[in-house]
Amino acid sequence: MQVSVRRLPLYPLRVVRSALLSPSPRLLSPGTRTLFSETGVWEKEYRPETRRRVEEWWHPRIMAQWRKDALEEDSKRKKFYVLSMFPYPSGRLHMGHVRVYTISDTIGHFQRMRGHRVLNPMGWDAFGLPAENAAIERGLDPEEWTKCNIKSMREQLDSLALCFNWDREVTTCLPDYYRWTQYLFVKLFEAGLAYQKEAVVNWDPVDQTVLADEQVDENGRSWRSGALVEQKLLTQWFIKTTNYAKPLLDALADLPEWYGVKGMQANWIGDCTGCYFDYKLKVNGEETGETLSAYSSSPETVFGAAYLAILPSHRLLHGSSSVRSALEKGFEPGRDSLTEITACNLFTDQEIPVVISHKEAFDGYLDTVIGIPDCSEEDLSVARALNLRWTTVLKSDEDDTQTLVNSDEFSGLTRQQAFDSITQKAREQRVGGHLTSSKLRDWLISRQRYWGTPIPVVHCGSCGPVAVPVDELPVTLPKLPSLMGKGMSPLEDAHDWVSCSCPRCKGPARRETDTMDTFVDSAWYYFRYTDPQNTVRPFERHLADHWLPVDLYIGGKEHAVMHLYYARFLCHFCKDQGLVAHREPFRKLLVQGLIKGQTFKLADSGQYLKREDIDFTDKEPVARGGGRVEVTFEKMSKSKHNGLDPQDVVQQYGVDTVRLYILYAAPPEQDILWNVKTDALPGVLRWQSRLWQLVTKLRAARQSGDIPNPSLLKKKELAETKKIWDNKNYAVQEVTSHFTEDFLFNAAISRLMGLTNTLSSATAGVVQHSVEFEEALAALVLMTAPMAPHLASELWAGLCQVKNPLSLLLQQRGDVLQQSWPAVDPKYLDVPDFVELSVMINNKPCGSVTVPLQVSKDSDRVQQLILESPLGQKLLSARSIKRAILSPRTALINFLIEE
């Protein structure tokens, strides 16, 4: 069926503010379309004009009721925390935003109907390069640019009727938020987990800033600017996430399946089979002030170390280190070079020489390793070639096990016992011992840009780096007259701001001029939502403990590694600091795919074309200017001319249609290929009309017919009501499962469409006299409500004023979203002792036979029972049976016989 859709205006919120007044009938001209909730007159068909009026009427009421319910909710109700990843405020929503927030809004409504106290907050990931670059290009203040974008996007979100807890809104660029980002940094600093060192870093020459390794793609280009990344040696701030590698890896086992993301996280972390030990470097027996962490894959044998090896690319050979000249003196390219520098292990107190390796790389990302001859033939070869001395620490026993010798208190332990004991004691002494992998590096958080959270550290000539006291936070960003976007940190130019006093000795000092990576801001925002107005601490523990973990976290798969890893790390850290009870922040994760647009590009040059530049006359499209055209679906963007403005789509089809389309077009984790001619859009438009027709059908039957009386139903009609009852309960069971377990909203909508088909085929007597029809239609509207709240609200209003209702469901007070989610009737869940099995012969129905439930899946027993039954004796006793096929899904058996 061809659906005719015409473009409709989208009315701003201010136009419908007055709609919050209670409805009252008013006189209308004969040709005026009416709305039942407004006039008490039900329109028979769901036309585009009706849809517009329904959404205009119900939009402010749904939003107002959500706010009212959120304030009045009983704190004793079970909580449900649904969280969608907050957006960067670019100024315009895209269809990907609409998809993720439609899903969270749907889940929020559903869980509230189930009786939960729902938290569905929203905020803004507001620091970062885009705002700074936009400010540079336009000569604007990034703060004003960001606030203006937030205002615009907030209005866009409201126009989509998304029911967020706006009273909990957070904005990461405001001092009342980043004060607590700085507080958490200070806690990391005090715990020895935030540190500064020289490092070879990834430098984006376009955005003029440092990138973490994760922000460089496989082609060596920046994830944001696309520029070819350069290598620079800079002094940078790091967070020692490697100390938490093993706990983060092990905790994955306690989480439910995350659409493959758990595997991605585990792969990112790697096998945590080794650890680092801390060393102090010496020259001629004198301490140099340099410390170094070196990795060993066999930490239980650390007492047998012969040397410490570094790569030729190591920072000590290229930076401003005090040992650089001594290293260079002993360096011979292409061979293992013994230097005059020694390294004292802070755990064993053993002193070993530093060797510059001939290798260009060690395993993974390692640049410093401990050479232990007892564990490696290669290490043994190096030690012998350089004529080094070492202690044997392993003894083989008769049963082929190995025990430790010459290892102080750990002598006599098996290797596994020693592994556990040595790493534990090293951790206790804070000199290493944290299990990690060779492929994982610490989190580089320094950014040489202005628009970010200032790092709360001052540099004192006497005291070194000192954290700003917590009671002096926040360290606020100073206003700068202009931003150039070139060179090092723009904060270097804020001379009055940079110059300060040392908090410890009160002497002259300088503020840190790097800002934090925005991943730090987003690593803890889920905590702040639980207590966003707190001015004393980041959040009250009892509030965070009440709401966490997040029950369902929704966002793009592109954040499966970095953001989720950092957020999990910070939650583990906060647990160790006694700030929260939970170690993991998110229970279930729902990753959604992209919405891709139809894309046209010239086959020869790859140039993207607009749709109007294409000639579709022939079977294969061609460019109007000549040339073969490739048609694909790609991620929407302006440069590809394949984007969609959500406002335009909503104006044309309505909010509910867009919501249903997004939920129906594909499972959440799959991409949606937007093509309005061939995809799910016509289907959801038709379904909305059919839902409307069902309510029209019931209202008309009760308006003009007799008073309903179930005793008037004939045998055939009673069988029909049983089918309706079965289909209703099956739909409730399946849809509830989809909303709570696998989040296959497309399958849920398909099931509701199936129930719609059953009700649409109901005979007049069943519609008139059956309570089963009423309750099934009520359940259908209730289950539609979280996905299409405007339409369902009007349908519910029409249902609840049907004449002479049979069901108490239709006599409830309140709008549809205030109703309880339908439950499966207990009788439906009763397991029967017997099953009625349909019998087919050569694919033709021939009757049914009742068999015990316990043997209903046993093909041989079922075949025997049917052959012994009167039906089998009559139809099959004299026939030659070639095969009997018992359906695994339905109560049906098909006998294939020779004619």
Side-chain angles (χ1 to χ4, degrees), residues 507-525:
R510 288 174 52 83
R511 293 194 187 280
E512 174 61 56
T513 55
D514 283 356
T515 53
M516 295 188 210
D517 180 17
T518 55
F519 277 118
V520 184
D521 306 318
S522 60
W524 75 280
Y525 75 115

Side-chain angles (χ1 to χ4, degrees), residues 463-760:
C463 306
V466 179
V468 174
V470 167
D471 58 4
E472 294 181 18
L473 300 177
V475 177
T476 55
L477 275 175
K479 289 286 185 183
L480 294 182
S482 65
L483 294 170
M484 300 298 293
K486 302 294 180 185
M488 302 306 288
S489 174
L491 289 174
E492 292 280 1
D493 296 330
H495 303 294
D496 292 340
W497 180 85
V498 170
S499 298
C500 62
S501 298
C502 172
R504 188 175 296 162
C505 71
K506 308 306 178 188
R510 288 174 52 83
R511 293 194 187 280
E512 174 61 56
T513 55
D514 283 356
T515 53
M516 295 188 210
D517 180 17
T518 55
F519 277 118
V520 184
D521 306 318
S522 60
W524 75 280
Y525 75 115
Y526 50 88
F527 283 133
R528 187 63 176 173
Y529 280 139
T530 68
D531 194 12
Q533 314 304 329
N534 198 322
T535 58
V536 179
R537 52 184 56 87
F539 46 85
E540 288 288 350
R541 173 167 174 163
H542 76 275
L543 292 173
D545 287 349
H546 170 74
W547 284 111
L548 261 66
V550 173
D551 294 280
L552 181 63
Y553 194 32
I554 309 168
K557 200 165 187 174
E558 66 271 21
H559 298 299
V561 172
M562 287 188 289
H563 164 63
L564 283 172
Y565 177 70
Y566 299 145
R568 292 182 61 230
F569 158 76
L570 204 66
C571 193
H572 277 239
F573 171 73
C574 287
K575 167 71 165 62
D576 290 345
Q577 291 289 305
L579 297 176
V580 288
H582 301 284
R583 193 166 288 281
E584 285 293 325
F586 314 118
R587 194 168 70 86
K588 283 191 176 182
L589 176 71
L590 177 56
V591 293
Q592 100 279 352
L594 302 171
I595 297 184
K596 295 182 175 181
Q598 197 169 29
T599 310
F600 306 95
K601 60 183 177 181
L602 288 173
D604 294 336
S605 65
Q607 178 189 347
Y608 289 99
L609 301 174
K610 297 179 181 178
R611 175 175 279 273
E612 53 264 33
D613 297 332
I614 311 295
D615 183 352
F616 293 95
T617 307
D618 295 330
K619 185 177 180 181
E620 295 294 330
V622 294
R624 295 191 186 278
R628 186 169 64 85
V629 173
E630 289 181 353
V631 183
T632 58
F633 283 89
E634 298 183 22
K635 183 177 179 180
M636 291 183 177
S637 73
K638 289 180 182 178
S639 62
K640 297 175 182 176
H641 310 297
N642 67 345
L644 283 173
D645 187 329
Q647 299 293 96
D648 292 342
V649 180
V650 168
Q651 285 177 9
Q652 187 167 356
Y653 300 109
V655 173
D656 283 346
T657 303
V658 172
R659 288 170 65 105
L660 287 171
Y661 170 82
I662 282 172
L663 297 171
Y664 183 55
E669 72 273 15
Q670 292 182 12
D671 294 337
I672 291 177
L673 309 182
W674 186 282
N675 186 342
V676 296
K677 290 185 179 180
T678 61
D679 62 11
L681 200 56
V684 296
L685 285 166
R686 283 194 299 271
W687 183 49
Q688 290 174 86
S689 296
R690 296 186 70 202
L691 290 171
W692 191 273
Q693 288 162 11
L694 284 174
V695 175
T696 301
K697 185 177 180 178
L698 180 61
R699 289 182 59 84
R702 297 294 172 81
Q703 195 74 30
S704 56
D706 300 329
I707 293 176
N709 182 358
S711 65
L712 297 177
L713 292 169
K714 299 180 175 61
K715 184 178 180 181
K716 189 175 181 181
E717 291 170 327
L718 288 171
E720 190 180 334
T721 63
K722 175 64 166 59
K723 179 183 175 184
I724 289 173
W725 182 84
D726 282 339
N727 283 2
K728 178 205 75 172
N729 281 292
Y730 181 57
V732 171
Q733 190 175 54
E734 289 293 294
V735 172
T736 304
S737 175
H738 289 314
F739 272 46
T740 54
E741 299 301 327
D742 57 21
F743 307 108
L744 296 178
F745 303 106
N746 58 322
I749 292 173
S750 292
R751 178 49 47 205
L752 295 180
M753 287 178 171
L755 182 56
T756 304
N757 292 339
T758 300
L759 295 177
S760 297

